[in-house]
Amino acid sequence: MTQAYLDHITETLAQIEADGMMKRERMITSPQGGQISVGKREVINLCANNYLGLADHPDLIEAAKAAMDPRGFGMASVRFICGTQDIHRELEQKLAAFLSKDDSILFAACFDANGGLFEPLLGPEDAVVSDALNHASIIDGIRLCKAKRYRYANSDMTDLEGQLKLAREEGARFILIATDGVFSMDGYLAKLPEIKALAEKYDAMVMVDDCHATGFMGPKGAGTPAHAGVDVDILTGTLGKALGGAIGGYIAGPQPIIDLLRQRARPYLFSNSLPPSIVAAGIKALELVEQGDALRDRLFDNARYWRTGLEKLGFKLLPGEHPIIPVMLGEAQLAQDMAAKLFDEGVFVSGFFFPVVPRGQARIRTQMNAALTRDELDRALRAFEVAGKVCGVIT
C-alpha cells in the first residue's frame, strides 16, 4: 500500500471531521437497558432499538446459557453442510407461524436477508419498485439482482402507481414492490393498504422489511401488515431489535420462495449458522412477545408521554405514532453538540446526519422502550430542556 493512498484516506477522514460528521463509539460497560453504564457513569439510554426492553431479560439470558452445554458454542459451518440443528428449524417454524407465513429462513442479520432476497427471485425480465427511503440493505440487495429498477418518492402513492404503470408498459414479467414497514430515520409507517391495493391493480407482489415493527406493532406484535390489516407476500425482519436485541435476521413467505432461497440465497449459503445460544434465546423471545401485551401497552404509553413532553418544551418533532421520535435539528454539528451536552446531563443519544439522513436534516432520533420508567423519562426531559437551551435549540 502506497503512502500516497494512505494520505488520501487520511485527508478523507480529516474532511469528515471538519464537516462535523465523524461518528464515534462510546463504550458501554453494562447490559443494554433503560439505564446503562458508560465507563463509571450511569445514563438513561434513549437510542437503542430495544423496544420491549428484552435485551437484558433474565429469561433470554437463561435460555442462551442453557443451550450452550447440550448444543455447543458455535456451528462452525454453513447450514447446508453441517450447520443446521433442530432448534434452527424450530425457530424458523415459530417465526413463520407468528407472522402467518408458510415458512421462514434464518440469516446472520436482516442486512444479509435483504441482501440475499432479490437476486434469486428476480431476473432481467422482472422489475423491482423501491421506496426512495428504503433501508440501505434493501438498496444493496436490489443492486445485486438483474431486475429493472424503479424508484418512487417516499410513500407517494401517485408516484408508485406511475412507476408500476411504467414497469408494465416496459414489459416486466413479474413486479415486486419493496418497502420498509417503518422508515427508521423518521418513524413513518408505510402506507400498506394503499400499496397493497396498487399491487393488486398492477399484478405485483409486495415485500416489507419489518425490522422496526416486529414484536410491538399490530395485534400480538405481528408487525406493520397486521397493524394495517393487510397481507403481504414477503416479510423480512430481525432478532436484533424488539426480539431480544442480539443478532439474526429472517425472510418469511410462501413455501416455494423459502425453498428457493435455501438453494440460492448467497448470504445463507456462504455464512455460518446462527449460534445455538442465539437461536434458543430467539425462541424464548418469541414466547415473551406473544404474551407481551402489557409490554406493548407500556411502550406506547411511554412514547405518547415522551412526545408530549418534548412538544411542550418547544422541540421540533416529526409527526407519527411509532416509538421512534426524531428531534429535528438541521445541521450535523448541532446534532453532535446536542448529543454531547445531553450526555453531560445523563442521557445517552446519538446525532444522525449525512449520509444517514439527507443534508440539512440532522436530528437526534429518540426511541422509547417498555423498560423506561416515568421517573427516567422526566429526568430525560429535564436534560433535554437544559441541553436545548444551551445549544440554542429552544428558548
mmCIF file of all heavy atoms in Angstrom, residues 51-101:
data_model
loop_
_atom_site.group_PDB
_atom_site.id
_atom_site.type_symbol
_atom_site.label_atom_id
_atom_site.label_comp_id
_atom_site.label_asym_id
_atom_site.label_seq_id
_atom_site.Cartn_x
_atom_site.Cartn_y
_atom_site.Cartn_z
ATOM 1 N N TYR A 51 -37.008 -2.091 21.923
ATOM 2 C CA TYR A 51 -38.356 -1.550 22.095
ATOM 3 C C TYR A 51 -39.110 -2.158 23.276
ATOM 4 O O TYR A 51 -39.817 -1.450 23.998
ATOM 5 C CB TYR A 51 -39.158 -1.752 20.813
ATOM 6 C CG TYR A 51 -38.653 -0.930 19.654
ATOM 7 C CD1 TYR A 51 -37.976 -1.522 18.600
ATOM 8 C CD2 TYR A 51 -38.837 0.443 19.623
ATOM 9 C CE1 TYR A 51 -37.510 -0.775 17.532
ATOM 10 C CE2 TYR A 51 -38.368 1.210 18.563
ATOM 11 C CZ TYR A 51 -37.707 0.591 17.523
ATOM 12 O OH TYR A 51 -37.237 1.334 16.468
ATOM 13 N N LEU A 52 -38.999 -3.442 23.484
ATOM 14 C CA LEU A 52 -39.738 -4.093 24.563
ATOM 15 C C LEU A 52 -38.895 -4.300 25.813
ATOM 16 O O LEU A 52 -39.360 -4.902 26.785
ATOM 17 C CB LEU A 52 -40.295 -5.442 24.088
ATOM 18 C CG LEU A 52 -41.318 -5.355 22.952
ATOM 19 C CD1 LEU A 52 -41.750 -6.760 22.513
ATOM 20 C CD2 LEU A 52 -42.542 -4.546 23.370
ATOM 21 N N GLY A 53 -37.670 -3.805 25.781
ATOM 22 C CA GLY A 53 -36.807 -3.928 26.951
ATOM 23 C C GLY A 53 -36.325 -5.336 27.220
ATOM 24 O O GLY A 53 -35.987 -5.673 28.357
ATOM 25 N N LEU A 54 -36.229 -6.177 26.179
ATOM 26 C CA LEU A 54 -35.888 -7.588 26.381
ATOM 27 C C LEU A 54 -34.393 -7.873 26.295
ATOM 28 O O LEU A 54 -33.973 -9.006 26.541
ATOM 29 C CB LEU A 54 -36.612 -8.459 25.343
ATOM 30 C CG LEU A 54 -38.145 -8.427 25.363
ATOM 31 C CD1 LEU A 54 -38.695 -9.388 24.313
ATOM 32 C CD2 LEU A 54 -38.677 -8.788 26.745
ATOM 33 N N ALA A 55 -33.573 -6.882 25.962
ATOM 34 C CA ALA A 55 -32.160 -7.153 25.698
ATOM 35 C C ALA A 55 -31.427 -7.712 26.912
ATOM 36 O O ALA A 55 -30.435 -8.441 26.757
ATOM 37 C CB ALA A 55 -31.463 -5.880 25.208
ATOM 38 N N ASP A 56 -31.889 -7.386 28.118
ATOM 39 C CA ASP A 56 -31.263 -7.935 29.324
ATOM 40 C C ASP A 56 -32.257 -8.777 30.124
ATOM 41 O O ASP A 56 -32.080 -8.985 31.337
ATOM 42 C CB ASP A 56 -30.692 -6.817 30.200
ATOM 43 C CG ASP A 56 -31.760 -5.840 30.690
ATOM 44 O OD1 ASP A 56 -32.892 -5.856 30.153
ATOM 45 O OD2 ASP A 56 -31.459 -5.054 31.620
ATOM 46 N N HIS A 57 -33.294 -9.287 29.456
ATOM 47 C CA HIS A 57 -34.326 -10.049 30.160
ATOM 48 C C HIS A 57 -33.734 -11.357 30.700
ATOM 49 O O HIS A 57 -33.079 -12.103 29.963
ATOM 50 C CB HIS A 57 -35.484 -10.352 29.223
ATOM 51 C CG HIS A 57 -36.735 -10.789 29.932
ATOM 52 N ND1 HIS A 57 -36.858 -12.035 30.512
ATOM 53 C CD2 HIS A 57 -37.906 -10.140 30.158
ATOM 54 C CE1 HIS A 57 -38.063 -12.135 31.058
ATOM 55 N NE2 HIS A 57 -38.714 -10.999 30.858
ATOM 56 N N PRO A 58 -33.953 -11.649 31.967
ATOM 57 C CA PRO A 58 -33.331 -12.850 32.556
ATOM 58 C C PRO A 58 -33.744 -14.144 31.874
ATOM 59 O O PRO A 58 -32.939 -15.092 31.810
ATOM 60 C CB PRO A 58 -33.797 -12.814 34.019
ATOM 61 C CG PRO A 58 -34.953 -11.872 34.060
ATOM 62 C CD PRO A 58 -34.717 -10.876 32.976
ATOM 63 N N ASP A 59 -34.962 -14.232 31.343
ATOM 64 C CA ASP A 59 -35.379 -15.464 30.675
ATOM 65 C C ASP A 59 -34.586 -15.703 29.393
ATOM 66 O O ASP A 59 -34.284 -16.853 29.048
ATOM 67 C CB ASP A 59 -36.872 -15.414 30.351
ATOM 68 C CG ASP A 59 -37.748 -15.535 31.583
ATOM 69 O OD1 ASP A 59 -37.196 -15.711 32.694
ATOM 70 O OD2 ASP A 59 -38.981 -15.435 31.440
ATOM 71 N N LEU A 60 -34.254 -14.625 28.672
ATOM 72 C CA LEU A 60 -33.457 -14.788 27.457
ATOM 73 C C LEU A 60 -32.014 -15.169 27.794
ATOM 74 O O LEU A 60 -31.418 -16.026 27.119
ATOM 75 C CB LEU A 60 -33.466 -13.497 26.634
ATOM 76 C CG LEU A 60 -34.812 -12.981 26.143
ATOM 77 C CD1 LEU A 60 -34.614 -11.879 25.112
ATOM 78 C CD2 LEU A 60 -35.643 -14.098 25.551
ATOM 79 N N ILE A 61 -31.486 -14.556 28.827
ATOM 80 C CA ILE A 61 -30.115 -14.891 29.249
ATOM 81 C C ILE A 61 -30.043 -16.351 29.679
ATOM 82 O O ILE A 61 -29.121 -17.090 29.304
ATOM 83 C CB ILE A 61 -29.672 -13.955 30.383
ATOM 84 C CG1 ILE A 61 -29.602 -12.506 29.871
ATOM 85 C CG2 ILE A 61 -28.327 -14.386 30.954
ATOM 86 C CD1 ILE A 61 -29.429 -11.469 30.950
ATOM 87 N N GLU A 62 -31.041 -16.800 30.433
ATOM 88 C CA GLU A 62 -31.060 -18.185 30.886
ATOM 89 C C GLU A 62 -31.216 -19.148 29.709
ATOM 90 O O GLU A 62 -30.568 -20.202 29.658
ATOM 91 C CB GLU A 62 -32.200 -18.394 31.888
ATOM 92 C CG GLU A 62 -32.292 -19.812 32.437
ATOM 93 C CD GLU A 62 -31.007 -20.291 33.079
ATOM 94 O OE1 GLU A 62 -30.311 -19.475 33.710
ATOM 95 O OE2 GLU A 62 -30.687 -21.496 32.929
ATOM 96 N N ALA A 63 -32.072 -18.803 28.743
ATOM 97 C CA ALA A 63 -32.259 -19.659 27.573
ATOM 98 C C ALA A 63 -30.970 -19.786 26.773
ATOM 99 O O ALA A 63 -30.627 -20.881 26.287
ATOM 100 C CB ALA A 63 -33.376 -19.111 26.698
ATOM 101 N N ALA A 64 -30.258 -18.674 26.634
ATOM 102 C CA ALA A 64 -28.991 -18.714 25.905
ATOM 103 C C ALA A 64 -27.965 -19.575 26.632
ATOM 104 O O ALA A 64 -27.276 -20.404 26.014
ATOM 105 C CB ALA A 64 -28.457 -17.297 25.720
ATOM 106 N N LYS A 65 -27.863 -19.403 27.945
ATOM 107 C CA LYS A 65 -26.920 -20.213 28.726
ATOM 108 C C LYS A 65 -27.276 -21.693 28.661
ATOM 109 O O LYS A 65 -26.409 -22.554 28.484
ATOM 110 C CB LYS A 65 -26.927 -19.757 30.187
ATOM 111 C CG LYS A 65 -26.296 -18.401 30.449
ATOM 112 C CD LYS A 65 -26.419 -18.052 31.930
ATOM 113 C CE LYS A 65 -25.783 -16.729 32.263
ATOM 114 N NZ LYS A 65 -25.966 -16.369 33.699
ATOM 115 N N ALA A 66 -28.559 -21.990 28.810
ATOM 116 C CA ALA A 66 -28.992 -23.387 28.864
ATOM 117 C C ALA A 66 -28.748 -24.119 27.552
ATOM 118 O O ALA A 66 -28.618 -25.352 27.539
ATOM 119 C CB ALA A 66 -30.475 -23.452 29.226
ATOM 120 N N ALA A 67 -28.672 -23.387 26.444
ATOM 121 C CA ALA A 67 -28.464 -24.031 25.142
ATOM 122 C C ALA A 67 -27.015 -24.423 24.912
ATOM 123 O O ALA A 67 -26.735 -25.327 24.105
ATOM 124 C CB ALA A 67 -28.917 -23.096 24.027
ATOM 125 N N MET A 68 -26.100 -23.805 25.612
ATOM 126 C CA MET A 68 -24.692 -23.988 25.269
ATOM 127 C C MET A 68 -24.134 -25.333 25.712
ATOM 128 O O MET A 68 -23.334 -25.945 24.994
ATOM 129 C CB MET A 68 -23.863 -22.841 25.841
ATOM 130 C CG MET A 68 -24.196 -21.514 25.182
ATOM 131 S SD MET A 68 -23.284 -20.113 25.856
ATOM 132 C CE MET A 68 -21.674 -20.405 25.163
ATOM 133 N N ASP A 69 -24.527 -25.838 26.879
ATOM 134 C CA ASP A 69 -23.984 -27.124 27.324
ATOM 135 C C ASP A 69 -24.386 -28.276 26.413
ATOM 136 O O ASP A 69 -23.518 -29.033 25.958
ATOM 137 C CB ASP A 69 -24.420 -27.411 28.768
ATOM 138 C CG ASP A 69 -23.608 -26.620 29.784
ATOM 139 O OD1 ASP A 69 -22.485 -26.190 29.434
ATOM 140 O OD2 ASP A 69 -24.093 -26.425 30.907
ATOM 141 N N PRO A 70 -25.676 -28.428 26.085
ATOM 142 C CA PRO A 70 -26.036 -29.561 25.219
ATOM 143 C C PRO A 70 -25.771 -29.336 23.738
ATOM 144 O O PRO A 70 -25.662 -30.316 22.976
ATOM 145 C CB PRO A 70 -27.541 -29.727 25.472
ATOM 146 C CG PRO A 70 -28.021 -28.368 25.833
ATOM 147 C CD PRO A 70 -26.883 -27.745 26.607
ATOM 148 N N ARG A 71 -25.646 -28.066 23.291
ATOM 149 C CA ARG A 71 -25.582 -27.822 21.849
ATOM 150 C C ARG A 71 -24.307 -27.123 21.389
ATOM 151 O O ARG A 71 -24.086 -26.989 20.188
ATOM 152 C CB ARG A 71 -26.804 -26.998 21.413
ATOM 153 C CG ARG A 71 -28.103 -27.735 21.682
ATOM 154 C CD ARG A 71 -29.293 -26.955 21.197
ATOM 155 N NE ARG A 71 -30.535 -27.638 21.524
ATOM 156 C CZ ARG A 71 -31.089 -28.596 20.805
ATOM 157 N NH1 ARG A 71 -30.490 -29.009 19.698
ATOM 158 N NH2 ARG A 71 -32.213 -29.168 21.174
ATOM 159 N N GLY A 72 -23.480 -26.676 22.338
ATOM 160 C CA GLY A 72 -22.200 -26.108 21.957
ATOM 161 C C GLY A 72 -22.234 -24.608 21.785
ATOM 162 O O GLY A 72 -23.259 -23.944 21.930
ATOM 163 N N PHE A 73 -21.070 -24.070 21.427
ATOM 164 C CA PHE A 73 -20.886 -22.624 21.325
ATOM 165 C C PHE A 73 -21.219 -22.108 19.923
ATOM 166 O O PHE A 73 -21.913 -21.118 19.766
ATOM 167 C CB PHE A 73 -19.447 -22.261 21.685
ATOM 168 C CG PHE A 73 -19.121 -20.816 21.491
ATOM 169 C CD1 PHE A 73 -19.704 -19.846 22.294
ATOM 170 C CD2 PHE A 73 -18.233 -20.420 20.503
ATOM 171 C CE1 PHE A 73 -19.407 -18.499 22.111
ATOM 172 C CE2 PHE A 73 -17.931 -19.077 20.316
ATOM 173 C CZ PHE A 73 -18.520 -18.122 21.118
ATOM 174 N N GLY A 74 -20.681 -22.765 18.911
ATOM 175 C CA GLY A 74 -20.897 -22.322 17.543
ATOM 176 C C GLY A 74 -21.045 -23.501 16.611
ATOM 177 O O GLY A 74 -20.686 -24.626 16.940
ATOM 178 N N MET A 75 -21.565 -23.240 15.405
ATOM 179 C CA MET A 75 -21.828 -24.321 14.461
ATOM 180 C C MET A 75 -20.639 -24.595 13.551
ATOM 181 O O MET A 75 -20.558 -25.671 12.944
ATOM 182 C CB MET A 75 -23.058 -23.984 13.613
ATOM 183 C CG MET A 75 -24.348 -23.880 14.409
ATOM 184 S SD MET A 75 -24.670 -25.314 15.460
ATOM 185 C CE MET A 75 -24.683 -26.620 14.250
ATOM 186 N N ALA A 76 -19.731 -23.647 13.393
ATOM 187 C CA ALA A 76 -18.512 -23.849 12.602
ATOM 188 C C ALA A 76 -18.807 -24.320 11.177
ATOM 189 O O ALA A 76 -17.995 -25.006 10.566
ATOM 190 C CB ALA A 76 -17.581 -24.848 13.309
ATOM 191 N N SER A 77 -19.970 -23.934 10.669
ATOM 192 C CA SER A 77 -20.329 -24.361 9.318
ATOM 193 C C SER A 77 -21.539 -23.580 8.843
ATOM 194 O O SER A 77 -22.232 -22.925 9.628
ATOM 195 C CB SER A 77 -20.646 -25.861 9.299
ATOM 196 O OG SER A 77 -20.923 -26.304 7.979
ATOM 197 N N VAL A 78 -21.776 -23.687 7.548
ATOM 198 C CA VAL A 78 -22.996 -23.128 6.970
ATOM 199 C C VAL A 78 -24.107 -24.161 7.082
ATOM 200 O O VAL A 78 -23.876 -25.345 7.361
ATOM 201 C CB VAL A 78 -22.772 -22.713 5.504
ATOM 202 C CG1 VAL A 78 -21.664 -21.675 5.437
ATOM 203 C CG2 VAL A 78 -22.442 -23.902 4.616
ATOM 204 N N ARG A 79 -25.335 -23.708 6.821
ATOM 205 C CA ARG A 79 -26.490 -24.559 7.092
ATOM 206 C C ARG A 79 -26.485 -25.853 6.282
ATOM 207 O O ARG A 79 -26.739 -26.937 6.818
ATOM 208 C CB ARG A 79 -27.786 -23.780 6.827
ATOM 209 C CG ARG A 79 -28.120 -22.715 7.862
ATOM 210 C CD ARG A 79 -28.674 -23.298 9.136
ATOM 211 N NE ARG A 79 -29.959 -23.920 8.947
ATOM 212 C CZ ARG A 79 -31.138 -23.316 9.071
ATOM 213 N NH1 ARG A 79 -31.191 -22.037 9.359
ATOM 214 N NH2 ARG A 79 -32.260 -23.988 8.907
ATOM 215 N N PHE A 80 -26.213 -25.796 4.975
ATOM 216 C CA PHE A 80 -26.418 -26.983 4.154
ATOM 217 C C PHE A 80 -25.277 -27.988 4.261
ATOM 218 O O PHE A 80 -25.401 -29.130 3.801
ATOM 219 C CB PHE A 80 -26.650 -26.595 2.680
ATOM 220 C CG PHE A 80 -25.392 -26.288 1.909
ATOM 221 C CD1 PHE A 80 -24.777 -27.268 1.135
ATOM 222 C CD2 PHE A 80 -24.836 -25.017 1.930
ATOM 223 C CE1 PHE A 80 -23.628 -26.983 0.415
ATOM 224 C CE2 PHE A 80 -23.700 -24.722 1.213
ATOM 225 C CZ PHE A 80 -23.085 -25.704 0.448
ATOM 226 N N ILE A 81 -24.173 -27.607 4.886
ATOM 227 C CA ILE A 81 -23.085 -28.577 5.053
ATOM 228 C C ILE A 81 -23.303 -29.349 6.359
ATOM 229 O O ILE A 81 -23.665 -30.518 6.345
ATOM 230 C CB ILE A 81 -21.714 -27.887 5.008
ATOM 231 C CG1 ILE A 81 -21.511 -27.225 3.632
ATOM 232 C CG2 ILE A 81 -20.591 -28.901 5.265
ATOM 233 C CD1 ILE A 81 -20.227 -26.445 3.482
ATOM 234 N N CYS A 82 -23.090 -28.695 7.490
ATOM 235 C CA CYS A 82 -23.386 -29.374 8.762
ATOM 236 C C CYS A 82 -23.703 -28.346 9.838
ATOM 237 O O CYS A 82 -23.312 -28.503 10.994
ATOM 238 C CB CYS A 82 -22.233 -30.289 9.194
ATOM 239 S SG CYS A 82 -20.662 -29.442 9.467
ATOM 240 N N GLY A 83 -24.425 -27.288 9.442
ATOM 241 C CA GLY A 83 -24.676 -26.201 10.366
ATOM 242 C C GLY A 83 -26.111 -26.043 10.806
ATOM 243 O O GLY A 83 -26.478 -24.983 11.320
ATOM 244 N N THR A 84 -26.941 -27.070 10.602
ATOM 245 C CA THR A 84 -28.348 -26.976 10.990
ATOM 246 C C THR A 84 -28.641 -27.880 12.171
ATOM 247 O O THR A 84 -28.422 -29.090 12.093
ATOM 248 C CB THR A 84 -29.273 -27.355 9.812
ATOM 249 O OG1 THR A 84 -29.011 -26.484 8.706
ATOM 250 C CG2 THR A 84 -30.733 -27.230 10.204
ATOM 251 N N GLN A 85 -29.116 -27.304 13.255
ATOM 252 C CA GLN A 85 -29.628 -28.082 14.379
ATOM 253 C C GLN A 85 -31.150 -28.036 14.370
ATOM 254 O O GLN A 85 -31.760 -27.189 13.691
ATOM 255 C CB GLN A 85 -29.093 -27.530 15.706
ATOM 256 C CG GLN A 85 -27.616 -27.779 15.927
ATOM 257 C CD GLN A 85 -27.133 -27.277 17.286
ATOM 258 O OE1 GLN A 85 -27.746 -26.393 17.886
ATOM 259 N NE2 GLN A 85 -26.037 -27.836 17.773
ATOM 260 N N ASP A 86 -31.745 -28.913 15.156
ATOM 261 C CA ASP A 86 -33.203 -28.948 15.199
ATOM 262 C C ASP A 86 -33.792 -27.618 15.670
ATOM 263 O O ASP A 86 -34.870 -27.215 15.233
ATOM 264 C CB ASP A 86 -33.687 -30.091 16.094
ATOM 265 C CG ASP A 86 -33.073 -30.066 17.490
ATOM 266 O OD1 ASP A 86 -32.078 -29.347 17.713
ATOM 267 O OD2 ASP A 86 -33.596 -30.774 18.373
ATOM 268 N N ILE A 87 -33.062 -26.901 16.534
ATOM 269 C CA ILE A 87 -33.620 -25.641 17.034
ATOM 270 C C ILE A 87 -33.614 -24.543 15.966
ATOM 271 O O ILE A 87 -34.398 -23.603 16.048
ATOM 272 C CB ILE A 87 -32.908 -25.159 18.319
ATOM 273 C CG1 ILE A 87 -31.407 -25.015 18.116
ATOM 274 C CG2 ILE A 87 -33.230 -26.091 19.478
ATOM 275 C CD1 ILE A 87 -30.698 -24.368 19.298
ATOM 276 N N HIS A 88 -32.734 -24.649 14.972
ATOM 277 C CA HIS A 88 -32.802 -23.696 13.863
ATOM 278 C C HIS A 88 -34.148 -23.818 13.149
ATOM 279 O O HIS A 88 -34.817 -22.820 12.861
ATOM 280 C CB HIS A 88 -31.664 -23.933 12.862
ATOM 281 C CG HIS A 88 -30.315 -23.531 13.360
ATOM 282 N ND1 HIS A 88 -29.455 -24.414 13.972
ATOM 283 C CD2 HIS A 88 -29.676 -22.327 13.358
ATOM 284 C CE1 HIS A 88 -28.342 -23.790 14.308
ATOM 285 N NE2 HIS A 88 -28.450 -22.509 13.948
ATOM 286 N N ARG A 89 -34.553 -25.044 12.859
ATOM 287 C CA ARG A 89 -35.848 -25.241 12.201
ATOM 288 C C ARG A 89 -36.999 -24.891 13.142
ATOM 289 O O ARG A 89 -38.026 -24.355 12.717
ATOM 290 C CB ARG A 89 -35.995 -26.679 11.728
ATOM 291 C CG ARG A 89 -35.258 -26.978 10.466
ATOM 292 C CD ARG A 89 -35.700 -26.084 9.307
ATOM 293 N NE ARG A 89 -37.070 -26.366 8.879
ATOM 294 C CZ ARG A 89 -37.909 -25.439 8.447
ATOM 295 N NH1 ARG A 89 -37.567 -24.159 8.404
ATOM 296 N NH2 ARG A 89 -39.132 -25.769 8.052
ATOM 297 N N GLU A 90 -36.827 -25.146 14.441
ATOM 298 C CA GLU A 90 -37.882 -24.783 15.381
ATOM 299 C C GLU A 90 -38.121 -23.282 15.377
ATOM 300 O O GLU A 90 -39.271 -22.818 15.330
ATOM 301 C CB GLU A 90 -37.515 -25.258 16.791
ATOM 302 C CG GLU A 90 -38.582 -24.933 17.827
ATOM 303 C CD GLU A 90 -38.199 -25.341 19.240
ATOM 304 O OE1 GLU A 90 -37.150 -26.008 19.423
ATOM 305 O OE2 GLU A 90 -38.948 -24.993 20.179
ATOM 306 N N LEU A 91 -37.036 -22.508 15.400
ATOM 307 C CA LEU A 91 -37.189 -21.054 15.382
ATOM 308 C C LEU A 91 -37.801 -20.591 14.067
ATOM 309 O O LEU A 91 -38.692 -19.727 14.057
ATOM 310 C CB LEU A 91 -35.838 -20.372 15.620
ATOM 311 C CG LEU A 91 -35.830 -18.840 15.547
ATOM 312 C CD1 LEU A 91 -36.863 -18.224 16.487
ATOM 313 C CD2 LEU A 91 -34.433 -18.299 15.856
ATOM 314 N N GLU A 92 -37.359 -21.141 12.951
ATOM 315 C CA GLU A 92 -37.920 -20.751 11.661
ATOM 316 C C GLU A 92 -39.414 -21.026 11.587
ATOM 317 O O GLU A 92 -40.195 -20.205 11.095
ATOM 318 C CB GLU A 92 -37.182 -21.481 10.536
ATOM 319 C CG GLU A 92 -35.779 -20.945 10.307
ATOM 320 C CD GLU A 92 -34.956 -21.779 9.352
ATOM 321 O OE1 GLU A 92 -35.242 -22.986 9.202
ATOM 322 O OE2 GLU A 92 -34.010 -21.233 8.748
ATOM 323 N N GLN A 93 -39.820 -22.182 12.086
ATOM 324 C CA GLN A 93 -41.244 -22.522 12.042
ATOM 325 C C GLN A 93 -42.065 -21.658 12.992
ATOM 326 O O GLN A 93 -43.198 -21.270 12.672
ATOM 327 C CB GLN A 93 -41.408 -24.010 12.350
ATOM 328 C CG GLN A 93 -40.903 -24.899 11.226
ATOM 329 C CD GLN A 93 -40.708 -26.353 11.628
ATOM 330 O OE1 GLN A 93 -40.753 -26.698 12.814
ATOM 331 N NE2 GLN A 93 -40.489 -27.210 10.648
ATOM 332 N N LYS A 94 -41.482 -21.325 14.154
ATOM 333 C CA LYS A 94 -42.194 -20.451 15.091
ATOM 334 C C LYS A 94 -42.322 -19.039 14.531
ATOM 335 O O LYS A 94 -43.356 -18.384 14.698
ATOM 336 C CB LYS A 94 -41.485 -20.442 16.449
ATOM 337 C CG LYS A 94 -41.693 -21.712 17.268
ATOM 338 C CD LYS A 94 -41.038 -21.612 18.625
ATOM 339 C CE LYS A 94 -41.273 -22.869 19.457
ATOM 340 N NZ LYS A 94 -42.699 -23.072 19.783
ATOM 341 N N LEU A 95 -41.279 -18.550 13.878
ATOM 342 C CA LEU A 95 -41.355 -17.241 13.245
ATOM 343 C C LEU A 95 -42.438 -17.227 12.164
ATOM 344 O O LEU A 95 -43.229 -16.283 12.069
ATOM 345 C CB LEU A 95 -40.004 -16.865 12.623
ATOM 346 C CG LEU A 95 -38.952 -16.273 13.557
ATOM 347 C CD1 LEU A 95 -37.584 -16.276 12.880
ATOM 348 C CD2 LEU A 95 -39.334 -14.853 13.978
ATOM 349 N N ALA A 96 -42.464 -18.279 11.343
ATOM 350 C CA ALA A 96 -43.458 -18.355 10.276
ATOM 351 C C ALA A 96 -44.871 -18.354 10.845
ATOM 352 O O ALA A 96 -45.758 -17.637 10.345
ATOM 353 C CB ALA A 96 -43.220 -19.603 9.431
ATOM 354 N N ALA A 97 -45.106 -19.134 11.892
ATOM 355 C CA ALA A 97 -46.439 -19.175 12.499
ATOM 356 C C ALA A 97 -46.810 -17.826 13.102
ATOM 357 O O ALA A 97 -47.946 -17.355 12.952
ATOM 358 C CB ALA A 97 -46.485 -20.265 13.564
ATOM 359 N N PHE A 98 -45.842 -17.181 13.755
ATOM 360 C CA PHE A 98 -46.084 -15.873 14.371
ATOM 361 C C PHE A 98 -46.475 -14.836 13.321
ATOM 362 O O PHE A 98 -47.324 -13.975 13.556
ATOM 363 C CB PHE A 98 -44.822 -15.437 15.116
ATOM 364 C CG PHE A 98 -44.881 -14.078 15.733
ATOM 365 C CD1 PHE A 98 -45.782 -13.777 16.740
ATOM 366 C CD2 PHE A 98 -44.023 -13.075 15.309
ATOM 367 C CE1 PHE A 98 -45.828 -12.515 17.313
ATOM 368 C CE2 PHE A 98 -44.057 -11.812 15.873
ATOM 369 C CZ PHE A 98 -44.969 -11.533 16.879
ATOM 370 N N LEU A 99 -45.868 -14.940 12.142
ATOM 371 C CA LEU A 99 -46.094 -13.960 11.071
ATOM 372 C C LEU A 99 -47.139 -14.417 10.061
ATOM 373 O O LEU A 99 -47.358 -13.745 9.050
ATOM 374 C CB LEU A 99 -44.766 -13.680 10.355
ATOM 375 C CG LEU A 99 -43.662 -13.091 11.236
ATOM 376 C CD1 LEU A 99 -42.330 -13.107 10.505
ATOM 377 C CD2 LEU A 99 -44.017 -11.676 11.687
ATOM 378 N N SER A 100 -47.767 -15.559 10.323
ATOM 379 C CA SER A 100 -48.815 -16.115 9.449
ATOM 380 C C SER A 100 -48.289 -16.365 8.037
ATOM 381 O O SER A 100 -48.943 -16.056 7.035
ATOM 382 C CB SER A 100 -50.034 -15.188 9.409
ATOM 383 O OG SER A 100 -50.591 -15.037 10.695
ATOM 384 N N LYS A 101 -47.084 -16.971 7.954
ATOM 385 C CA LYS A 101 -46.482 -17.337 6.676
ATOM 386 C C LYS A 101 -46.222 -18.844 6.641
ATOM 387 O O LYS A 101 -46.198 -19.514 7.666
ATOM 388 C CB LYS A 101 -45.168 -16.580 6.457
ATOM 389 C CG LYS A 101 -45.336 -15.066 6.369
ATOM 390 C CD LYS A 101 -46.229 -14.680 5.215
ATOM 391 C CE LYS A 101 -46.452 -13.185 5.135
ATOM 392 N NZ LYS A 101 -47.503 -12.837 4.154
#
